[in-house]
Amino acid sequence: MNLLLRGAAIAAVLHITPVVVLVKRPDAVQTLLPGADSYVAREVHLSDPDAHRLHGLVDWSPDDGVLTFYRGKAGGTDVGALTFARVDTPHGPIEVAVGFTPQGAVRGVVVTKATVEMKPWVLEAVGAGLVERYRGLKPGDVPAGAAALAEHTGKLAVYVAGEVDKGVARALAAYGAFYNHVRA
Amino acid sequence: MLYDLRRADLPIKWLVTCLLATLGISYVFGALMVSLYAGFTPERVAATYGGRAMPMPMPPETTMVMEHAMSMAEFARPEVHEVDTNLLIQDTHVHVPMYGVIAAALSLVVAGLSLSQGWAVALITLLFSAPWLDFAGMWLTKFVSGRFAPVTLIGGWAMGLGYVAVAALAIQQMWFRTRGVDR
């Protein structure tokens, strides 16, 4: 019986809480591609060598082998692009939207999804200015949101900032290597 | 038999009733959660565990780009909740032990019911095999074919059926059946 109770307790502790939407995708798109009135989805189907190359850069490549970027235009003018990056953590998945200017720098980052458990950590990290730390980064730069928050927030907010760092790093690597370097 | 819920003291009957009520609440919310994330149709289950139909059967020899126009409405379209292999490993690791504990608790109730041994064994088998089917269906859907999605649905409904059967029999025998019972 003791074993059963311990098993139940461990299962309860490890249970991953449901995913919640923190910011709806259309809202993230409007924030990161301001003024855009038309959008094009650019799906990059990676060859095995390119998938391995990306994996070598950020220890990740997409499960289905496809990177998806969304390009926005206002009239005929390029507004930039964005991509959604998902990071699987022991506490469940987290999703970040990373927007780029037409010059290829990070315009902004929005945490769009987390789990019920992680939501307060995300809100604390974002409230402490996490996403502002990524503005202006370019492919090749290393996101350091967690390090910037270390002195100002609780440990769990710093932890979640580290996971957001991973998402931003993946988006930067994918954008830098494949957004403009493969012809449609 | 010494362990007979019909003749059990009031605190034991109340304990079993509270256990069944608590499990019933968790099952109702479990069903609501399934409706939110995986759905109750083979198509939605296949999409959840099998993933999107692969746009290409194999990775291309050289990286390729496909473009298509998007509307804002498409960004707003509800996404299919996809369970990838890592998440399925985690789900299996977390849920199967808990389902085992629940099946064991319900089986202990079955053991205290006035049933033939055949029916008792059948009910206990149903209680344990339902979650096995549920997760077997998820793994088969992911790695063999989306045609196995109904196995997950059958497993889920079988879990519900097992619970309802045990709860109905237990409540009826503990609280409503008085004929032929020595008190």
Side-chain angles (χ1 to χ4, degrees), chain A residues 102-164:
Chain A
Q103 293 73 37
V106 171
R107 170 180 281 130
V109 171
V110 177
V111 182
T112 48
K113 288 180 192 165
T115 59
V116 169
E117 181 190 19
M118 288 193 287
K119 181 180 172 181
W121 314 342
V122 171
L123 295 180
E124 185 183 350
V126 171
L130 173 67
V131 294
E132 283 78 29
R133 308 284 175 175
Y134 304 117
R135 208 161 283 154
L137 291 181
K138 290 196 164 181
D141 293 342
V142 179
L149 260 56
E151 307 267 312
H152 312 291
T153 60
K155 283 183 181 173
L156 292 170
V158 174
Y159 163 78
V160 92
E163 301 302 322
V164 176

Side-chain angles (χ1 to χ4, degrees), chain A:
Chain A
M1 183 59 86
N2 190 27
L3 186 66
L4 284 180
L5 289 174
R6 275 197 287 173
I10 290 167
V13 167
L14 291 177
H15 198 287
I16 292 172
T17 53
V19 173
V20 287
V21 174
L22 302 176
V23 178
K24 290 178 181 170
R25 280 192 165 197
D27 295 336
V29 170
Q30 284 176 336
T31 301
L32 298 174
L33 299 175
D37 51 23
S38 65
Y39 306 94
V40 170
R42 184 176 171 86
E43 294 175 351
V44 181
H45 297 255
L46 297 175
S47 64
D48 266 343
D50 279 341
H52 282 108
R53 185 156 65 94
L54 182 60
H55 201 279
L57 289 172
V58 282
D59 195 24
W60 168 85
S61 64
D63 276 349
D64 57 1
V66 182
L67 298 168
T68 305
F69 303 96
Y70 301 96
R71 191 172 66 230
K73 284 192 172 183
T77 310
D78 189 9
V79 174
L82 72 83
T83 188
F84 294 92
R86 175 179 142 169
V87 180
D88 287 313
T89 80
H91 302 273
I94 191 166
E95 183 189 76
V96 293
V98 182
F100 296 90
T101 63
Q103 293 73 37
V106 171
R107 170 180 281 130
V109 171
V110 177
V111 182
T112 48
K113 288 180 192 165
T115 59
V116 169
E117 181 190 19
M118 288 193 287
K119 181 180 172 181
W121 314 342
V122 171
L123 295 180
E124 185 183 350
V126 171
L130 173 67
V131 294
E132 283 78 29
R133 308 284 175 175
Y134 304 117
R135 208 161 283 154
L137 291 181
K138 290 196 164 181
D141 293 342
V142 179
L149 260 56
E151 307 267 312
H152 312 291
T153 60
K155 283 183 181 173
L156 292 170
V158 174
Y159 163 78
V160 92
E163 301 302 322
V164 176
D165 281 352
K166 283 184 201 169
V168 176
R170 290 173 185 180
L172 280 166
Y175 181 88
F178 300 108
Y179 179 70
N180 269 328
H181 305 289
V182 187
R183 288 182 188 283

Side-chain angles (χ1 to χ4, degrees), chain B residues 8-24:
Chain B
D9 291 340
L10 184 68
I12 299 297
K13 287 184 176 179
W14 184 233
L15 181 157
V16 171
T17 303
C18 289
L19 171 72
L20 291 170
T22 305
L23 291 180

